[in-house]
Amino acid sequence: MLLQATGIRKLYGVHPVLDGINIQILEKERVGLVGVNGAGKSTFLQILAGEISHDGGQIFKAKETTIGYLAQNSGLHSDQTLWEEMLTVFTPLINAEQELRLMETQIADPISMENPKKYQDLLDRYSLRSDWFKDQGGYEMETKIRSVLHGMGFGDFAPDTPITTLSGGQKTRLALARILLLAPDLLMLDEPTNHLDIATLTWLEDYLRSYSGSLLIVSHDRYFLDRLVTTIVEIERHQSKRYTGNYSRYIDLKAAEYESQLKQYDKQQGEIARMEDFVQRNIVRASSTKRAQSRRKSLEKMDRLDKPNGELKKAHFSFEVEYSSGKEVLQVRELSVAFNPLEPLFQHVSFDMRRGETVALIGPNGIGKSTLFKCMLNTLVPAAGNIHWGTKVKIGYYDQEQTNLNSANTVLEELWSEYSHMEESRIRTVLGNFLFSGEDVLKKISALSGGEKARVALAKLMLLEANMLILDEPTNHLDLFSREVLESALIDYEGTLLFISHDRYFLNKMAERIVELSPTGTEQFLGNYDDYTEKKQELAEIQQEATLAARSTSKSDSSFDAGDKPGASSFEADKLAKREERNRQRRLVTLEEEIHVLEEEIQAIETKMALPVVFQDYMALQEHQQVVDLKKTALEGVYAEWEILAVE
């Protein structure tokens, strides 16, 4: 065990933020910390890191355990260059290397050899220090630095780039790179996926999956949590609860738990109602007074269940359309943007959109996705090309920076100034749907958190009733639950939707078509994010095969003799074998996923069957058993196919 916290309590004034939080982190464990915005997740990490005090509870940590903590949006501030700053992580190794170089000079010095005993001591010290240097990764320092900098998006930066010249987002990514190089026993990260594009996110996931230490991560990225963590700790109503599995498993367990608790509560309430009714009807009748008194005593002694807490109060809203647009909504042709005439940001961008489509625009950070939106909104003039909107198109735009909010306004004024024809009661009702009630509506925009500003912007967008929504990173700043509400609202939206997002879960759920932006134009893919990645992999394999074929042909041509081309048939056979092996591996992965799902479903049903509400009900028990038998039969079939493929 690396760390254990029990009964952690934190008060702000007299109000508890945390009240009885427990967590235990074992070696190499991956823990996700979840909860709504304001639940106290960041506060809890700060307490564990020793940055703020706690008002109750205890924290136990092994003496030799090292802890690394990276706060949300905490950029790296330094006067050094990229390379110099990364090297500071390895200061002990650099010092050891200098000692080794000094000892090597002494070993080569003939004078040192004059005293055999001292010379042998020097050789022994060199051997020990050299072994330590090797074991600590001294020979891999520069390789590690280059690998992490490249993975975090600094591969094209010169090593002597001053950190002071970087943007805020780049400094945040650099801070993350530095703490990854430190490699503490327990790495605590608060929203590490902020400011990362999809390529960097994927690299970070793979890096952390093979991380040798333990992880405690706060994140609103469900895809990231699903791929990385094996345990979820939820903070809800100031307390914590632990769930085994990734985020999707946690959602299933929480839903099943609530359903089971509600059934038990309802059953007990029914029993209480029947007993109370019997007491009321029979307490004054001589023939049954004793039985009524007995029931009353049973009621008094009964250990009554509390009604299970339902979901926390969530925002709830929908996007309505005032009127429909024409069938052809948008046409972009040969668009180019160039802030420097000699170096365009992007060019030859072309795509169309029809009414009712949902399209995602993706690409690496800095490629110009938000800039393209500005061109579409006429706030930026492109260098070339044209944008044509269809008939009756009413545009609603969500800006990830919320620059369209007036920081001097209150929340109520912000909506009312835009929709002055509406009654105050209507505005307050809308704000209530977005979790602004009572005095909250009188808060200044400037005093709101990122999540609160996002909800205000979404409230304004909802009231617009646009038939074309352009959303720039709409899930940024929203907690996990608010993201799900937004997804539900957009799935039911009848208009046309174009959005930018790095949230792969959101992309998977929403996108029907993906437009990938690059400096030389756009490439389009039908389907969601998983379909996109699969197609990209296929294209990469085809390209690799074409390259190999070209090399093989080149070799055959160079050794061409008497009309014979050796190697051509063997290349085709090799290509076919590789394709079949890839298909086999893909099928194995699919089967393994099916096995995992079936086993979890069987376990979940068998767990339900052990509950009193089920095993005491013969019909319900029989129905559950039939479902289990069907799933076990299906599982046997999947296992049989897997065994055949696995031994090939």
PDB file of all heavy atoms in Angstrom, residues 239-261:
ATOM      1  N   GLN A 239     -19.079  12.744   0.620  1.00  0.00           N
ATOM      2  CA  GLN A 239     -18.531  11.455   1.029  1.00  0.00           C
ATOM      3  C   GLN A 239     -18.055  10.667  -0.191  1.00  0.00           C
ATOM      4  O   GLN A 239     -18.324  11.051  -1.326  1.00  0.00           O
ATOM      5  CB  GLN A 239     -19.572  10.659   1.828  1.00  0.00           C
ATOM      6  CG  GLN A 239     -19.977  11.365   3.125  1.00  0.00           C
ATOM      7  CD  GLN A 239     -20.884  10.521   4.000  1.00  0.00           C
ATOM      8  OE1 GLN A 239     -21.666   9.722   3.493  1.00  0.00           O
ATOM      9  NE2 GLN A 239     -20.785  10.699   5.309  1.00  0.00           N
ATOM     10  N   SER A 240     -17.348   9.564   0.084  1.00  0.00           N
ATOM     11  CA  SER A 240     -16.753   8.809  -1.019  1.00  0.00           C
ATOM     12  C   SER A 240     -17.260   7.377  -1.043  1.00  0.00           C
ATOM     13  O   SER A 240     -17.670   6.817  -0.020  1.00  0.00           O
ATOM     14  CB  SER A 240     -15.224   8.798  -0.889  1.00  0.00           C
ATOM     15  OG  SER A 240     -14.832   8.129   0.293  1.00  0.00           O
ATOM     16  N   LYS A 241     -17.205   6.789  -2.239  1.00  0.00           N
ATOM     17  CA  LYS A 241     -17.544   5.381  -2.408  1.00  0.00           C
ATOM     18  C   LYS A 241     -16.660   4.807  -3.500  1.00  0.00           C
ATOM     19  O   LYS A 241     -16.393   5.463  -4.505  1.00  0.00           O
ATOM     20  CB  LYS A 241     -19.018   5.211  -2.770  1.00  0.00           C
ATOM     21  CG  LYS A 241     -19.439   3.753  -2.773  1.00  0.00           C
ATOM     22  CD  LYS A 241     -20.922   3.588  -2.560  1.00  0.00           C
ATOM     23  CE  LYS A 241     -21.272   2.117  -2.380  1.00  0.00           C
ATOM     24  NZ  LYS A 241     -22.711   1.907  -2.182  1.00  0.00           N
ATOM     25  N   ARG A 242     -16.211   3.579  -3.290  1.00  0.00           N
ATOM     26  CA  ARG A 242     -15.260   2.937  -4.196  1.00  0.00           C
ATOM     27  C   ARG A 242     -15.975   1.909  -5.079  1.00  0.00           C
ATOM     28  O   ARG A 242     -16.815   1.149  -4.604  1.00  0.00           O
ATOM     29  CB  ARG A 242     -14.173   2.254  -3.368  1.00  0.00           C
ATOM     30  CG  ARG A 242     -13.020   1.640  -4.165  1.00  0.00           C
ATOM     31  CD  ARG A 242     -12.072   0.926  -3.211  1.00  0.00           C
ATOM     32  NE  ARG A 242     -10.913   0.380  -3.890  1.00  0.00           N
ATOM     33  CZ  ARG A 242      -9.751   0.991  -3.997  1.00  0.00           C
ATOM     34  NH1 ARG A 242      -9.589   2.175  -3.447  1.00  0.00           N
ATOM     35  NH2 ARG A 242      -8.731   0.432  -4.625  1.00  0.00           N
ATOM     36  N   TYR A 243     -15.634   1.892  -6.362  1.00  0.00           N
ATOM     37  CA  TYR A 243     -16.194   0.937  -7.311  1.00  0.00           C
ATOM     38  C   TYR A 243     -15.045   0.289  -8.083  1.00  0.00           C
ATOM     39  O   TYR A 243     -14.110   0.978  -8.501  1.00  0.00           O
ATOM     40  CB  TYR A 243     -17.132   1.622  -8.309  1.00  0.00           C
ATOM     41  CG  TYR A 243     -18.358   2.243  -7.689  1.00  0.00           C
ATOM     42  CD1 TYR A 243     -18.306   3.528  -7.138  1.00  0.00           C
ATOM     43  CD2 TYR A 243     -19.568   1.564  -7.645  1.00  0.00           C
ATOM     44  CE1 TYR A 243     -19.438   4.114  -6.564  1.00  0.00           C
ATOM     45  CE2 TYR A 243     -20.704   2.144  -7.079  1.00  0.00           C
ATOM     46  CZ  TYR A 243     -20.625   3.414  -6.539  1.00  0.00           C
ATOM     47  OH  TYR A 243     -21.737   3.991  -5.979  1.00  0.00           O
ATOM     48  N   THR A 244     -15.134  -1.007  -8.295  1.00  0.00           N
ATOM     49  CA  THR A 244     -14.111  -1.716  -9.064  1.00  0.00           C
ATOM     50  C   THR A 244     -14.466  -1.674 -10.548  1.00  0.00           C
ATOM     51  O   THR A 244     -15.592  -1.971 -10.931  1.00  0.00           O
ATOM     52  CB  THR A 244     -14.004  -3.176  -8.602  1.00  0.00           C
ATOM     53  OG1 THR A 244     -13.664  -3.192  -7.214  1.00  0.00           O
ATOM     54  CG2 THR A 244     -12.929  -3.922  -9.380  1.00  0.00           C
ATOM     55  N   GLY A 245     -13.478  -1.319 -11.358  1.00  0.00           N
ATOM     56  CA  GLY A 245     -13.702  -1.258 -12.805  1.00  0.00           C
ATOM     57  C   GLY A 245     -13.445   0.131 -13.356  1.00  0.00           C
ATOM     58  O   GLY A 245     -13.089   1.057 -12.615  1.00  0.00           O
ATOM     59  N   ASN A 246     -13.650   0.297 -14.668  1.00  0.00           N
ATOM     60  CA  ASN A 246     -13.446   1.604 -15.294  1.00  0.00           C
ATOM     61  C   ASN A 246     -14.719   2.453 -15.181  1.00  0.00           C
ATOM     62  O   ASN A 246     -15.654   2.102 -14.453  1.00  0.00           O
ATOM     63  CB  ASN A 246     -12.997   1.444 -16.750  1.00  0.00           C
ATOM     64  CG  ASN A 246     -14.020   0.703 -17.602  1.00  0.00           C
ATOM     65  OD1 ASN A 246     -15.173   0.495 -17.197  1.00  0.00           O
ATOM     66  ND2 ASN A 246     -13.614   0.307 -18.793  1.00  0.00           N
ATOM     67  N   TYR A 247     -14.758   3.564 -15.902  1.00  0.00           N
ATOM     68  CA  TYR A 247     -15.886   4.488 -15.752  1.00  0.00           C
ATOM     69  C   TYR A 247     -17.210   3.861 -16.201  1.00  0.00           C
ATOM     70  O   TYR A 247     -18.232   3.989 -15.514  1.00  0.00           O
ATOM     71  CB  TYR A 247     -15.616   5.774 -16.547  1.00  0.00           C
ATOM     72  CG  TYR A 247     -16.755   6.761 -16.454  1.00  0.00           C
ATOM     73  CD1 TYR A 247     -16.949   7.525 -15.313  1.00  0.00           C
ATOM     74  CD2 TYR A 247     -17.665   6.909 -17.499  1.00  0.00           C
ATOM     75  CE1 TYR A 247     -18.011   8.406 -15.210  1.00  0.00           C
ATOM     76  CE2 TYR A 247     -18.723   7.785 -17.409  1.00  0.00           C
ATOM     77  CZ  TYR A 247     -18.887   8.533 -16.258  1.00  0.00           C
ATOM     78  OH  TYR A 247     -19.949   9.400 -16.160  1.00  0.00           O
ATOM     79  N   SER A 248     -17.213   3.171 -17.345  1.00  0.00           N
ATOM     80  CA  SER A 248     -18.451   2.562 -17.841  1.00  0.00           C
ATOM     81  C   SER A 248     -18.968   1.514 -16.859  1.00  0.00           C
ATOM     82  O   SER A 248     -20.174   1.406 -16.621  1.00  0.00           O
ATOM     83  CB  SER A 248     -18.211   1.920 -19.217  1.00  0.00           C
ATOM     84  OG  SER A 248     -17.935   2.903 -20.187  1.00  0.00           O
ATOM     85  N   ARG A 249     -18.052   0.751 -16.288  1.00  0.00           N
ATOM     86  CA  ARG A 249     -18.434  -0.255 -15.292  1.00  0.00           C
ATOM     87  C   ARG A 249     -19.025   0.422 -14.048  1.00  0.00           C
ATOM     88  O   ARG A 249     -20.017  -0.053 -13.473  1.00  0.00           O
ATOM     89  CB  ARG A 249     -17.207  -1.084 -14.920  1.00  0.00           C
ATOM     90  CG  ARG A 249     -17.425  -2.119 -13.828  1.00  0.00           C
ATOM     91  CD  ARG A 249     -18.267  -3.271 -14.316  1.00  0.00           C
ATOM     92  NE  ARG A 249     -18.359  -4.316 -13.320  1.00  0.00           N
ATOM     93  CZ  ARG A 249     -19.380  -5.138 -13.189  1.00  0.00           C
ATOM     94  NH1 ARG A 249     -20.410  -5.052 -14.017  1.00  0.00           N
ATOM     95  NH2 ARG A 249     -19.383  -6.069 -12.272  1.00  0.00           N
ATOM     96  N   TYR A 250     -18.430   1.537 -13.653  1.00  0.00           N
ATOM     97  CA  TYR A 250     -18.927   2.297 -12.492  1.00  0.00           C
ATOM     98  C   TYR A 250     -20.362   2.776 -12.725  1.00  0.00           C
ATOM     99  O   TYR A 250     -21.219   2.670 -11.832  1.00  0.00           O
ATOM    100  CB  TYR A 250     -17.981   3.472 -12.220  1.00  0.00           C
ATOM    101  CG  TYR A 250     -18.618   4.743 -11.714  1.00  0.00           C
ATOM    102  CD1 TYR A 250     -19.064   4.866 -10.399  1.00  0.00           C
ATOM    103  CD2 TYR A 250     -18.768   5.850 -12.562  1.00  0.00           C
ATOM    104  CE1 TYR A 250     -19.641   6.037  -9.937  1.00  0.00           C
ATOM    105  CE2 TYR A 250     -19.340   7.017 -12.115  1.00  0.00           C
ATOM    106  CZ  TYR A 250     -19.775   7.111 -10.806  1.00  0.00           C
ATOM    107  OH  TYR A 250     -20.353   8.275 -10.362  1.00  0.00           O
ATOM    108  N   ILE A 251     -20.638   3.280 -13.933  1.00  0.00           N
ATOM    109  CA  ILE A 251     -21.992   3.748 -14.259  1.00  0.00           C
ATOM    110  C   ILE A 251     -22.994   2.600 -14.140  1.00  0.00           C
ATOM    111  O   ILE A 251     -24.087   2.751 -13.572  1.00  0.00           O
ATOM    112  CB  ILE A 251     -22.022   4.355 -15.678  1.00  0.00           C
ATOM    113  CG1 ILE A 251     -21.250   5.685 -15.709  1.00  0.00           C
ATOM    114  CG2 ILE A 251     -23.449   4.573 -16.152  1.00  0.00           C
ATOM    115  CD1 ILE A 251     -21.850   6.791 -14.870  1.00  0.00           C
ATOM    116  N   ASP A 252     -22.618   1.426 -14.666  1.00  0.00           N
ATOM    117  CA  ASP A 252     -23.511   0.255 -14.596  1.00  0.00           C
ATOM    118  C   ASP A 252     -23.736  -0.184 -13.151  1.00  0.00           C
ATOM    119  O   ASP A 252     -24.865  -0.484 -12.743  1.00  0.00           O
ATOM    120  CB  ASP A 252     -22.924  -0.906 -15.410  1.00  0.00           C
ATOM    121  CG  ASP A 252     -22.906  -0.629 -16.905  1.00  0.00           C
ATOM    122  OD1 ASP A 252     -23.658   0.266 -17.340  1.00  0.00           O
ATOM    123  OD2 ASP A 252     -22.134  -1.286 -17.624  1.00  0.00           O
ATOM    124  N   LEU A 253     -22.635  -0.247 -12.374  1.00  0.00           N
ATOM    125  CA  LEU A 253     -22.746  -0.674 -10.976  1.00  0.00           C
ATOM    126  C   LEU A 253     -23.587   0.295 -10.161  1.00  0.00           C
ATOM    127  O   LEU A 253     -24.417  -0.120  -9.333  1.00  0.00           O
ATOM    128  CB  LEU A 253     -21.343  -0.793 -10.353  1.00  0.00           C
ATOM    129  CG  LEU A 253     -20.485  -1.970 -10.814  1.00  0.00           C
ATOM    130  CD1 LEU A 253     -19.070  -1.829 -10.264  1.00  0.00           C
ATOM    131  CD2 LEU A 253     -21.086  -3.293 -10.357  1.00  0.00           C
ATOM    132  N   LYS A 254     -23.394   1.575 -10.416  1.00  0.00           N
ATOM    133  CA  LYS A 254     -24.136   2.593  -9.657  1.00  0.00           C
ATOM    134  C   LYS A 254     -25.631   2.520  -9.972  1.00  0.00           C
ATOM    135  O   LYS A 254     -26.471   2.628  -9.071  1.00  0.00           O
ATOM    136  CB  LYS A 254     -23.580   3.981  -9.991  1.00  0.00           C
ATOM    137  CG  LYS A 254     -24.115   5.096  -9.093  1.00  0.00           C
ATOM    138  CD  LYS A 254     -23.368   6.380  -9.359  1.00  0.00           C
ATOM    139  CE  LYS A 254     -24.016   7.550  -8.628  1.00  0.00           C
ATOM    140  NZ  LYS A 254     -23.948   7.404  -7.160  1.00  0.00           N
ATOM    141  N   ALA A 255     -25.955   2.312 -11.249  1.00  0.00           N
ATOM    142  CA  ALA A 255     -27.362   2.204 -11.644  1.00  0.00           C
ATOM    143  C   ALA A 255     -28.007   0.961 -11.025  1.00  0.00           C
ATOM    144  O   ALA A 255     -29.137   1.012 -10.519  1.00  0.00           O
ATOM    145  CB  ALA A 255     -27.472   2.163 -13.163  1.00  0.00           C
ATOM    146  N   ALA A 256     -27.281  -0.174 -11.078  1.00  0.00           N
ATOM    147  CA  ALA A 256     -27.817  -1.418 -10.503  1.00  0.00           C
ATOM    148  C   ALA A 256     -27.974  -1.298  -8.994  1.00  0.00           C
ATOM    149  O   ALA A 256     -28.958  -1.784  -8.412  1.00  0.00           O
ATOM    150  CB  ALA A 256     -26.882  -2.582 -10.847  1.00  0.00           C
ATOM    151  N   GLU A 257     -27.028  -0.642  -8.364  1.00  0.00           N
ATOM    152  CA  GLU A 257     -27.065  -0.437  -6.911  1.00  0.00           C
ATOM    153  C   GLU A 257     -28.271   0.409  -6.508  1.00  0.00           C
ATOM    154  O   GLU A 257     -28.998   0.081  -5.567  1.00  0.00           O
ATOM    155  CB  GLU A 257     -25.758   0.267  -6.501  1.00  0.00           C
ATOM    156  CG  GLU A 257     -25.591   0.573  -5.047  1.00  0.00           C
ATOM    157  CD  GLU A 257     -24.293   1.352  -4.822  1.00  0.00           C
ATOM    158  OE1 GLU A 257     -24.311   2.593  -4.953  1.00  0.00           O
ATOM    159  OE2 GLU A 257     -23.264   0.720  -4.557  1.00  0.00           O
ATOM    160  N   TYR A 258     -28.500   1.483  -7.246  1.00  0.00           N
ATOM    161  CA  TYR A 258     -29.637   2.355  -6.951  1.00  0.00           C
ATOM    162  C   TYR A 258     -30.959   1.621  -7.159  1.00  0.00           C
ATOM    163  O   TYR A 258     -31.877   1.711  -6.328  1.00  0.00           O
ATOM    164  CB  TYR A 258     -29.578   3.598  -7.850  1.00  0.00           C
ATOM    165  CG  TYR A 258     -30.785   4.500  -7.702  1.00  0.00           C
ATOM    166  CD1 TYR A 258     -30.948   5.289  -6.564  1.00  0.00           C
ATOM    167  CD2 TYR A 258     -31.764   4.550  -8.690  1.00  0.00           C
ATOM    168  CE1 TYR A 258     -32.056   6.112  -6.411  1.00  0.00           C
ATOM    169  CE2 TYR A 258     -32.874   5.362  -8.546  1.00  0.00           C
ATOM    170  CZ  TYR A 258     -33.009   6.139  -7.411  1.00  0.00           C
ATOM    171  OH  TYR A 258     -34.116   6.936  -7.261  1.00  0.00           O
ATOM    172  N   GLU A 259     -31.041   0.859  -8.253  1.00  0.00           N
ATOM    173  CA  GLU A 259     -32.265   0.114  -8.547  1.00  0.00           C
ATOM    174  C   GLU A 259     -32.556  -0.905  -7.450  1.00  0.00           C
ATOM    175  O   GLU A 259     -33.699  -1.053  -7.002  1.00  0.00           O
ATOM    176  CB  GLU A 259     -32.105  -0.591  -9.898  1.00  0.00           C
ATOM    177  CG  GLU A 259     -33.350  -1.327 -10.366  1.00  0.00           C
ATOM    178  CD  GLU A 259     -33.138  -2.035 -11.694  1.00  0.00           C
ATOM    179  OE1 GLU A 259     -32.172  -1.687 -12.405  1.00  0.00           O
ATOM    180  OE2 GLU A 259     -33.923  -2.940 -11.989  1.00  0.00           O
ATOM    181  N   SER A 260     -31.508  -1.615  -7.003  1.00  0.00           N
ATOM    182  CA  SER A 260     -31.680  -2.617  -5.945  1.00  0.00           C
ATOM    183  C   SER A 260     -32.113  -1.976  -4.633  1.00  0.00           C
ATOM    184  O   SER A 260     -33.038  -2.454  -3.961  1.00  0.00           O
ATOM    185  CB  SER A 260     -30.364  -3.380  -5.758  1.00  0.00           C
ATOM    186  OG  SER A 260     -30.435  -4.237  -4.646  1.00  0.00           O
ATOM    187  N   GLN A 261     -31.453  -0.880  -4.264  1.00  0.00           N
ATOM    188  CA  GLN A 261     -31.795  -0.186  -3.012  1.00  0.00           C
ATOM    189  C   GLN A 261     -33.218   0.364  -3.055  1.00  0.00           C
ATOM    190  O   GLN A 261     -33.945   0.296  -2.064  1.00  0.00           O
ATOM    191  CB  GLN A 261     -30.799   0.951  -2.759  1.00  0.00           C
ATOM    192  CG  GLN A 261     -29.408   0.479  -2.393  1.00  0.00           C
ATOM    193  CD  GLN A 261     -28.415   1.632  -2.317  1.00  0.00           C
ATOM    194  OE1 GLN A 261     -28.720   2.769  -2.726  1.00  0.00           O
ATOM    195  NE2 GLN A 261     -27.227   1.366  -1.812  1.00  0.00           N
TER     196      GLN A 261
END
